[in-house]
Amino acid sequence: MILDAQHSLVAQSLNSPLGNETVNGDGFGFGWYPENNEPGSQPAFFHSIEPAWNDQNLRELTRSIRSPLFFSHVRAAGGPPIQQTNCHPFRHENWMFMHNGFLTEFSKVKRDLTYAVDPSLYPNILGTTDSEVLFNLALTLGLKDDPIAAMAATIRKVESVGRDHGVAFPMQGTVAVTDGATMWAFRYSSQMRSRTLFHSTDVETLWEMYPDAERFKLFGPNARLIVSEPLNDLPGVFQEVPESTALVVESSGYHHEPFLAADD
């Protein structure tokens, strides 16, 4: 999925047909949990400022690492500099966080949003991106206790501060967060025109749909993928997550919940 799929992570770094930025060559990262991780285990990550298509270590690492849960991200810098501390995913204890999008006119709201982060978390902000501030603000507002409620409160804070500074549509993007056992993904923008988000169809259905597809036989029945763009063009393999939706991914499967409807 990182290297060899039709629209793999490396392929999307070169050409992202559904993205606002066609080329995502300003660094990348991926994170993973130990193969037999205990609850609460800290994930590892690898960040690089090289384009994903040009980093020789990426193929070596992905060939060797086994994990029940991977996070991966390619970056198109929208202003903050190209440096490892600005590459996703971000990490705190056993949590990882990624964001595909931006906080509009972040320079106007950066001070107020950063000041809203709990002082104990402030030293963890190592880079200069809006996404890392968003993560620490979510931690401040209860991410570890209730991720959906915390992300809702975080985005409403972003929108409130943004509009106080004359920003019409403060929030754009999709967000993914995990504690190592469950994953939550959010598709939302203030303008109701969010970046795309998809999840894979359950593997047993794919086996029935494509009985001769050798690649699908490599996956166990609980394999699940959350992606910004489908990894291939086969009909029915990926399902689009609706606008203003929270997607919960756990051992029992996928669950959708309405998230921050326009009149909330």
Side-chain angles (χ1 to χ4, degrees):
M1 301 307 162
I2 291 177
L3 299 175
D4 300 324
Q6 181 182 5
H7 302 300
S8 67
L9 181 80
V10 170
Q12 289 185 40
S13 70
L14 281 163
N15 181 24
S16 175
L18 299 184
N20 274 31
E21 299 83 14
T22 303
V23 178
N24 297 276
D26 298 324
F28 69 93
F30 68 93
W32 68 95
Y33 292 85
E35 187 172 10
N36 298 307
N37 64 308
E38 297 294 328
S41 295
Q42 186 181 65
F45 59 59
F46 174 74
H47 291 155
S48 174
I49 60 172
E50 293 281 340
W53 69 79
N54 193 50
D55 193 294
Q56 296 301 311
N57 292 316
L58 180 59
R59 185 171 295 275
E60 294 297 322
L61 290 169
T62 54
R63 182 185 298 158
S64 303
I65 295 169
R66 297 178 63 88
S67 171
L69 195 160
F70 282 97
F71 259 28
S72 59
H73 185 277
V74 288
R75 183 168 183 249
I82 300 170
Q83 59 192 48
Q84 287 191 15
T85 53
N86 284 342
C87 294
H88 309 221
F90 301 103
R91 176 182 67 189
H92 177 73
E93 296 176 352
N94 61 307
W95 291 79
M96 285 197 292
F97 179 98
M98 299 187 298
H99 173 215
N100 177 28
F102 55 88
L103 305 188
T104 309
E105 297 189 73
F106 180 54
S107 60
K108 289 185 176 181
V109 301
K110 180 178 179 180
R111 180 181 182 276
D112 288 357
L113 293 179
T114 304
Y115 273 37
V117 171
D118 187 289
S120 68
L121 294 171
Y122 181 80
N124 299 331
I125 302 176
L126 302 179
T128 59
T129 64
D130 51 356
S131 302
E132 191 175 17
V133 171
L134 192 69
F135 178 33
N136 283 277
L137 186 57
L139 288 167
T140 298
L141 296 176
L143 184 71
K144 292 190 280 187
D145 297 320
D146 188 336
I148 294 177
M151 283 307 308
T154 298
I155 291 171
R156 286 309 189 217
K157 178 67 173 178
V158 168
E159 291 182 320
S160 174
V161 170
R163 287 166 181 157
D164 285 347
H165 288 270
V167 180
F169 302 111
M171 174 68 189
Q172 168 58 254
T174 56
V175 168
V177 61
T178 182
D179 62 357
T182 302
M183 188 187 307
W184 297 262
F186 303 88
R187 186 182 182 198
Y188 177 82
S189 67
S190 305
Q191 200 173 8
M192 296 295 157
R193 295 174 59 186
S194 299
R195 301 289 176 90
T196 55
L197 187 67
F198 297 82
H199 68 75
S200 59
T201 299
D202 68 273
V203 174
E204 292 181 348
T205 299
L206 294 180
W207 289 339
E208 294 178 5
M209 293 172 61
Y210 297 100
D212 297 325
E214 292 298 322
R215 179 176 292 271
F216 294 150
K217 295 176 183 178
L218 299 175
F219 298 112
N222 295 321
R224 298 181 178 91
L225 294 170
I226 312 299
V227 292
S228 58
E229 301 182 21
L231 295 180
N232 57 53
D233 296 331
L234 293 175
V237 175
F238 288 94
Q239 312 294 324
E240 186 168 9
V241 177
E243 180 77 54
S244 299
T245 296
L247 172 67
V248 184
V249 188
E250 49 195 353
S251 58
S252 58
Y254 300 107
H255 308 283
H256 296 78
E257 297 184 20
F259 182 71
L260 292 182
D263 57 353
D264 281 357

